[in-house]
Amino acid sequence: MGFLKNSYLPTLCLLAINLVSGAVVYAQSDPHGLTQASPDLSAYNVIWNEPGSGSADSMPIGNGDVGLNVWTEKNGDLVFYIGKTDAWSENPLGSNGLMKIGRVRVSMSPPWDANSLPFQQVLRLQDASIAIREGDTTLKIWVDANRPVIHVEEQGAHPIALRASLEPWYGETDHVSAMHLAPHTTSTIAWYHRNEAGAVDAVRNLTTGALMEGSGMKAVSDTQLVSTEPSLHQSLSIHTLTETTEKAEGWLAAMDSLKREDDRTAVADAFLAHSQWWSAFWNRSWIVLGGAQDADTVTRGYILQRFVTAAAGRGAYPIKFNGSLFVVDHASETDNPKTHPSHEVSANYRAWGGQYWFQNTRPMYWPRLAAGDFDEMLPLFRMYQREMEQNAPLIESYYGHPGSYLAETAAFYAPIPDLRTKPSGRHTDYYFTPILELSMMMLDYFEYTGDEQFAKKTLIPMASEGLLFFDQHFPRDAAGKLELNNDNSIETFWQVSDPLPDIAGLHAVLARLLALPNGLGSVEQRAQWERLYAALPDLPTGQIDGKKVLLPYTGKQDAPRKNIENPELYAVFPFRLYGVGRPDLRIAEDTFEARKMRFRGCWSQDPVEAAMLGRSDDARKSVSFNLQNVDPRMKFPGFWDRGHDYDPDEDNGGNGELGLQAMLLQNNGREILLLPAWPKDWDARFKLAAPFRTTVEGEVHHGKLVHLTVTPASRRKDVLVNGDKFK
């Protein structure tokens, strides 16, 4: 790839720039006010004693919106890719829809001598930084948790000269327009990508880029900074910005105004506040296992998945399941090995592209509840609320009735299709379940946080519109019951009758909405909920081997299976009509035993379903697999195998997180169920969030709870351990 030099652009007179990115919120107080110290994380730091050879040998760090892949090459050069949650290319749907915004190389002179000087690279989880020691020189890399700035700090026993270079990071095969270089100033270089001709309307004029400057450094070209003289201590700062502007000059002007605010904070002060943010983050919750042979690696997998999610989870858009911000270069890759030959791909590529599949996006977000990471859920809710509002007038236009729903598969801006033009739908065309599952998640968010403004402005408007769609879109039978005809049972059975996921979702969501405190939901809304609730059909059931089981849809079970899912188990999760402490557990257990699709990793729900049913052995096997399922092509032990998605696969890690949490703690209304699916050979120390602004801290030894602290103490009476009150 070449760079486009913008000689017509005004010279930049900048030192440092903040990031602007839609609804990004950097500062976030701890919602529980937790004060107890978290466990020592140093045992789970990732330590490498040899440099790597490319981005597949990288470590991730990030601040929730800006994420880096960081590695050190054989010659001692530090290299990193920069990713950003809103760095959309001209075609967000494409395999290069969410691209990197830079590749930076930092070289030292004199260079590291691999033959005589020691090397170590450490991901320090406690403060989310990477420390690289080459001989007696140390580099520290971190992305400010409270500001949109990447910092590289050098400290040495002898004077060192640095060279920081912007390198090409995509080419013609990436199918995006060239990067623009702004003319360098005395001490800064800047670059950006701009969506212009050929871009879809939603991202036209979107401009994303960065500015790099350093203390004691000067620009020698539009792509390089060098030390003015060798020094014992130097620092480099890179600042990124995404903004939609009519012209490129508008983006440059925005950078100029933003840097003034950023300049007010010294690097040392910024790192102190950054470290405090991460300390509070780790103090929200934890799970540390002991006892069995796999305990340490499962613990590490859980901690690293939570870290990777936090590194990309507070941006303008939700986390991409197919690689998050941390996709890497691969020498051989293909979208589909049956139809596409393998080819080399860059770190801008991801199989399954830039659009969102709700089924694949949810696994990273359900675990945020018990982890207490509520701030990371807001980008998901914001994006889907915009889509619900966008889709409502389309539904009125297409079908002549009110209501709204979410397309299971869509870009963040894409409208729902007019199904009148697609009477024989394919894949996710007639898949209406996401608004029901999202409503369930939002109801949980409200129960955990008690945020009434969220309930009034987000939960109730979205859930009500979704329920109104089901109420108005589907007919009633002769008995007045809702008939869900021509409706997918998720992506597995297309256009069937009374699919279990939707019926279970309607039962679960309506019951919980009707139980909300007075004042949440208007009189008219509650009346509509009650009418719809009374019209719901029963869940489809049948017999398999003489046992009553749940079925994926009503009627003869002869619809072709189109995917490898178990829709009948949506009654267990996410809709939780069956499970430990709930009626008819045997029916759900027999359904689980009879399930057709059995596989581990990726988006399989086996970990949480087994845990919800109290099946400790099954849950433990699935969770242990997921949280050790490292991609063999990658060095970092929290980059998961691609499975059916792409690497690093965030579905795999999210489902492992959720399963482990559910083995320790579940809730049934106000009841807190501890150890509902806990194996006796795993010891544990844990601190998790529970509904009604509750935290539960405990210790498990040989399968028994030996310590318990519940905050507030009044909630201790609601705790059940293996079905009994804790004494």
Side-chain angles (χ1 to χ4, degrees):
M1 178 201 85
F3 296 108
L4 292 184
K5 292 194 175 185
N6 282 339
S7 57
Y8 66 88
L9 292 176
T11 300
L12 291 174
C13 298
L14 306 174
L15 292 178
I17 296 299
N18 262 340
L19 169 152
V20 168
S21 180
V24 179
V25 178
Y26 284 102
Q28 187 80 22
S29 61
D30 180 38
H32 283 292
L34 305 180
T35 58
Q36 300 182 43
S38 59
D40 180 11
L41 292 171
S42 61
Y44 304 100
N45 287 345
V46 179
I47 302 173
W48 295 338
N49 294 315
E50 294 181 352
S53 57
S55 59
D57 298 330
S58 64
M59 292 177 174
I61 54 170
N63 69 354
D65 183 52
V66 179
L68 309 184
N69 292 84
V70 179
W71 71 97
T72 311
E73 297 194 341
K74 304 294 185 183
N75 63 357
D77 284 0
L78 164 68
V79 189
F80 52 89
Y81 279 124
I82 307 170
K84 197 169 182 302
T85 63
D86 54 2
W88 301 108
S89 70
E90 292 89 341
N91 178 21
L93 286 174
S95 58
N96 304 103
L98 186 66
M99 59 185 183
K100 304 289 190 185
I101 66 168
R103 172 178 163 132
V104 173
R105 178 180 297 271
V106 180
S107 306
M108 295 186 292
S109 180
W112 173 58
D113 182 356
N115 295 319
S116 61
L117 297 177
F119 171 88
Q120 189 174 75
Q121 179 171 327
V122 182
L123 171 61
R124 301 191 304 203
L125 293 165
Q126 186 63 43
D127 60 16
S129 68
I130 293 174
I132 299 170
R133 181 168 61 88
E134 299 181 3
D136 57 9
T137 299
T138 299
L139 297 173
K140 181 172 74 175
I141 306 96
W142 52 286
V143 186
D144 195 328
N146 304 298
R147 293 172 185 80
V149 185
I150 302 160
H151 292 284
V152 180
E153 298 181 74
E154 176 266 329
Q155 184 74 47
H158 305 284
I160 293 289
L162 296 182
R163 178 179 296 271
S165 307
L166 174 68
E167 297 189 329
W169 67 96
Y170 59 75
E172 293 182 2
T173 58
D174 285 324
H175 306 295
V176 295
S177 61
M179 183 65 59
H180 298 268
L181 293 175
H184 65 277
T185 69
T186 303
S187 57
T188 67
I189 62 173
W191 65 94
Y192 62 90
H193 175 273
R194 183 168 168 81
N195 295 332
E196 294 180 315
V200 300
D201 289 345
V203 295
R204 185 169 291 124
N205 295 328
L206 185 77
T207 309
T208 302
L211 177 143
M212 180 161 62
E213 53 91 19
S215 63
M217 301 187 77
K218 63 181 180 180
V220 294
S221 72
D222 290 341
T223 61
Q224 285 194 350
L225 298 174
V226 299
S227 300
T228 54
E229 61 181 2
S231 176
L232 297 176
H233 175 73
Q234 296 166 87
S235 64
L236 182 73
S237 298
I238 303 171
H239 317 272
T240 65
L241 170 68
T242 296
E243 191 161 294
T244 299
T245 59
E246 285 297 318
K247 296 182 179 180
E249 290 89 343
W251 182 82
L252 295 169
M255 291 193 89
D256 191 28
S257 63
L258 286 169
K259 74 97 178 176
R260 304 178 196 279
E261 179 66 26
D262 188 57
D263 279 348
R264 296 178 183 177
T265 305
V267 173
D269 293 337
F271 185 72
L272 176 61
H274 163 89
S275 300
Q276 290 170 341
W277 189 94
W278 279 99
S279 179
F281 168 81
W282 291 116
N283 206 29
R284 293 174 182 174
S285 67
W286 60 78
I287 299 176
V288 177
L289 305 182
Q293 185 175 2
D294 61 349
D296 279 346
T297 51
V298 172
T299 299
R300 182 183 67 178
Y302 179 85
I303 290 171
L304 293 182
Q305 176 61 29
R306 186 167 171 239
F307 171 77
V308 169
T309 300
R314 295 191 296 147
Y317 291 91
I319 296 166
K320 289 292 289 129
F321 70 96
N322 46 348
S324 186
L325 294 177
F326 306 111
V327 288
V328 303
D329 305 296
H330 283 308
S332 178
E333 189 54 70
T334 177
D335 286 342
N336 186 334
K338 296 180 180 179
T339 59
H340 293 73
S342 295
H343 59 286
E344 184 176 357
V345 298
S346 77
N348 297 293
Y349 169 93
R350 65 186 73 231
W352 303 101
Q355 61 187 334
Y356 287 90
W357 275 257
F358 182 83
Q359 180 206 16
N360 299 81
T361 303
R362 62 183 181 167
M364 296 84 78
Y365 288 94
W366 279 112
R368 308 282 59 81
L369 293 161
D373 300 334
F374 306 119
D375 50 340
E376 295 170 23
M377 303 181 77
L378 298 179
L380 182 79
F381 298 151
R382 283 194 292 259
M383 182 183 78
Y384 281 124
Q385 186 163 22
R386 291 193 298 268
E387 290 188 23
M388 288 288 286
E389 293 168 354
Q390 168 190 273
N391 292 341
L394 295 176
I395 288 172
E396 185 74 48
S397 172
Y398 297 159
Y399 312 117
H401 66 71
S404 189
Y405 74 92
L406 298 169
E408 203 283 333
T409 306
F412 65 89
Y413 58 85
I416 53 173
D418 182 353
L419 297 179
R420 296 174 302 174
T421 67
K422 307 176 78 172
S424 297
R426 292 173 55 79
H427 300 291
T428 62
D429 286 337
Y430 285 79
Y431 188 153
F432 304 121
T433 317
I435 183 54
L436 299 175
E437 182 168 353
L438 188 66
S439 296
M440 197 74 171
M441 189 184 291
M442 291 188 295
L443 282 159
D444 280 355
Y445 179 93
F446 172 62
E447 276 195 358
Y448 275 74
T449 64
D451 185 346
E452 288 200 3
Q453 287 303 305
F454 172 82
K456 292 176 180 178
K457 295 182 178 180
T458 302
L459 161 61
I460 291 174
M462 291 179 69
S464 294
E465 283 294 299
L467 294 171
L468 189 58
F469 169 80
F470 279 93
D471 187 27
Q472 297 292 307
H473 194 71
F474 293 99
R476 270 50 171 188
D477 64 14
K481 294 295 184 180
L482 194 69
E483 286 188 311
L484 298 180
N485 295 323
N486 220 26
D487 184 4
N488 274 21
S489 188
I490 54 178
E491 197 178 348
T492 297
F493 300 105
W494 300 352
Q495 293 177 275
V496 293
S497 296
D498 289 344
L500 180 139
D502 288 4
I503 296 175
L506 288 166
H507 275 280
V509 170
L510 281 163
R512 295 183 70 186
L513 284 173
L514 288 167
L516 287 174
N518 292 332
L520 295 180
S522 67
V523 172
E524 294 78 9
Q525 285 172 325
R526 285 180 174 268
Q528 188 260 333
W529 299 341
E530 288 175 352
R531 287 194 301 271
L532 182 57
Y533 195 38
L536 294 182
D538 294 333
L539 300 185
T541 60
Q543 296 280 325
I544 295 180
D545 296 332
K547 298 176 180 178
K548 185 178 181 179
V549 296
L550 301 166
L551 297 177
Y553 55 90
T554 295
K556 189 176 181 181
Q557 301 292 296
D558 58 357
R561 182 178 289 272
K562 300 291 189 177
N563 208 340
I564 52 173
E565 303 159 311
N566 298 302
E568 63 275 13
L569 287 167
Y570 270 51
V572 175
F573 190 86
F575 297 122
R576 307 198 298 270
L577 299 177
Y578 294 87
V580 175
R582 293 177 171 86
D584 298 321
L585 178 61
R586 185 73 259 166
I587 294 174
E589 286 196 276
D590 289 340
T591 303
F592 185 83
E593 286 286 353
R595 72 195 188 283
K596 298 292 185 182
M597 297 295 107
R598 299 168 182 248
F599 71 94
R600 292 176 181 165
C602 197
W603 40 256
S604 169
Q605 290 199 148
D606 274 16
V608 67
E609 288 167 352
M612 294 295 293
L613 296 174
R615 301 172 68 94
S616 58
D617 288 345
D618 289 327
R620 185 252 177 84
K621 290 175 183 176
S622 293
V623 166
S624 183
F625 177 86
N626 279 50
L627 295 179
Q628 299 181 86
N629 186 27
V630 180
D631 191 295
R633 300 185 294 179
M634 295 186 174
K635 190 174 182 179
F636 184 68
F639 281 168
W640 311 116
D641 186 77
R642 65 174 295 168
H644 301 290
D645 296 336
Y646 191 60
D647 49 29
D649 177 25
E650 299 310 300
D651 283 2
N652 178 93
N655 280 317
E657 265 189 296
L658 179 61
L660 184 60
Q661 292 169 351
M663 292 170 70
L664 272 170
L665 186 151
Q666 299 174 27
N667 72 284
N668 185 4
R670 294 193 67 88
E671 289 182 340
I672 299 170
L673 312 179
L674 293 182
L675 312 186
W678 197 252
K680 292 183 178 180
D681 64 336
W682 269 357
D683 296 337
R685 288 180 295 128
F686 67 92
K687 185 179 190 178
L688 294 171
F692 307 107
R693 296 184 60 82
T694 302
T695 57
V696 181
E697 183 178 359
E699 186 171 344
V700 183
H701 190 58
H702 295 317
K704 294 184 178 181
L705 188 67
V706 297
H707 168 75
L708 177 66
T709 300
V710 181
T711 306
S714 60
R715 289 278 278 139
R716 187 182 175 98
K717 68 181 185 303
D718 299 320
V719 173
L720 298 176
V721 182
N722 296 322
D724 298 320
K725 292 287 185 181
F726 181 74
K727 298 179 181 179

